[in-house]
Amino acid sequence: MTHDLLISLRPLLAAEASAEAHAAGTEPGDLEQAVWLRLLELLDADGPPRDPERWLRRAVRFEARRSRRTTRCEQPYDTDPADEAGPTPEQLALAATRARALRAAVRRLPGRCPALLEALMSPKDLTYREIAGELGISQGSLGPERSRCLGCLRRLLAAEVAARGARG
């Protein structure tokens, strides 16, 4: 009975879905699939409908209305949410880890180097004049001091990278 019912309703469902799909803003196949699912749920729960053709027409109209409501409520994204233009979450996490490691290495430097390099890495984008005033040193000695501190930082980071590689 069930197989014969499905076979006999197939042409009617295809015709009804094709007629309603355009107005609903959906594909006929999507409507057909939704109605087949409703029919199978009904067969499982209550058995076949008394008037299958009438039930099928009403089910197609119901699914078409539901599709229209859903389409009306949905808002398109301005950009693709998975847009590859920006960094991925993994890249952001790796960059944050590198920044933390760099700042930790800067804090281990000797003398005025930590304060100087923190000022140079500041998001405020301070000028040499502002950094010199903040640290209480002359603006002319800022360049040579920066070079010395960066050399210390390079040696410190090279030693850390070499030490990690030797263990692995």
Side-chain angles (χ1 to χ4, degrees), residues 18 53 90 142 146:
S18 293
E53 290 80 12
E90 180 183 10
L142 199 57
R146 179 190 65 113

Side-chain angles (χ1 to χ4, degrees), residues 119-128 130-131:
L120 288 169
M121 292 188 311
S122 169
K124 296 177 190 173
D125 197 27
L126 302 171
T127 64
Y128 268 29
E130 292 167 331
I131 294 172

Side-chain angles (χ1 to χ4, degrees), residues 67-84:
S67 178
R68 274 192 299 271
R69 279 193 309 270
T70 302
T71 302
R72 199 171 32 236
C73 293
E74 291 176 345
Q75 297 293 322
Y77 286 111
D78 291 335
T79 59
D80 187 9
D83 190 8
E84 305 254 344

Side-chain angles (χ1 to χ4, degrees), residues 1-17 32 35-36 38-40 42-43 47-60:
M1 167 67 188
T2 305
H3 181 68
D4 294 336
L5 176 67
L6 297 178
I7 296 298
S8 68
L9 291 177
R10 177 177 281 160
L12 178 61
L13 177 57
E16 291 288 328
E32 285 183 49
V35 172
W36 282 129
R38 286 176 54 118
L39 179 60
L40 292 174
L42 177 72
L43 290 173
R50 285 189 216 148
D51 185 0
E53 290 80 12
R54 183 171 180 236
W55 179 91
L56 185 109
R57 287 185 185 101
R58 293 178 79 194
V60 169

Side-chain angles (χ1 to χ4, degrees), residues 17-162:
S18 293
E20 294 286 336
H22 182 70
T26 188
E27 296 290 322
D30 293 341
L31 278 179
E32 285 183 49
Q33 183 178 11
V35 172
W36 282 129
L37 181 60
R38 286 176 54 118
L39 179 60
L40 292 174
E41 289 171 346
L42 177 72
L43 290 173
D44 189 40
D46 301 331
R50 285 189 216 148
D51 185 0
E53 290 80 12
R54 183 171 180 236
W55 179 91
L56 185 109
R57 287 185 185 101
R58 293 178 79 194
V60 169
R61 284 181 194 66
F62 174 82
E63 290 298 331
R65 280 192 306 272
R66 191 169 67 84
S67 178
R68 274 192 299 271
R69 279 193 309 270
T70 302
T71 302
R72 199 171 32 236
C73 293
E74 291 176 345
Q75 297 293 322
Y77 286 111
D78 291 335
T79 59
D80 187 9
D83 190 8
E84 305 254 344
T88 65
E90 180 183 10
Q91 291 168 332
L92 291 172
L94 290 173
T97 301
R98 282 192 297 270
R100 279 192 301 275
L102 177 62
R103 290 200 185 274
V106 166
R107 284 191 297 272
R108 291 193 308 272
L109 290 173
R112 291 190 289 207
C113 288
L116 174 62
L117 292 181
E118 284 291 337
L120 288 169
M121 292 188 311
S122 169
K124 296 177 190 173
D125 197 27
L126 302 171
T127 64
Y128 268 29
R129 175 177 281 159
E130 292 167 331
I131 294 172
E134 189 176 298
L135 298 177
I137 59 176
S138 72
Q139 189 175 343
S141 66
L142 199 57
E145 183 92 15
R146 179 190 65 113
S147 294
R148 186 181 65 77
C149 291
L150 288 175
C152 288
L153 182 62
R154 275 189 210 98
R155 286 189 298 278
L156 179 71
L157 292 175
E160 284 184 7
V161 169

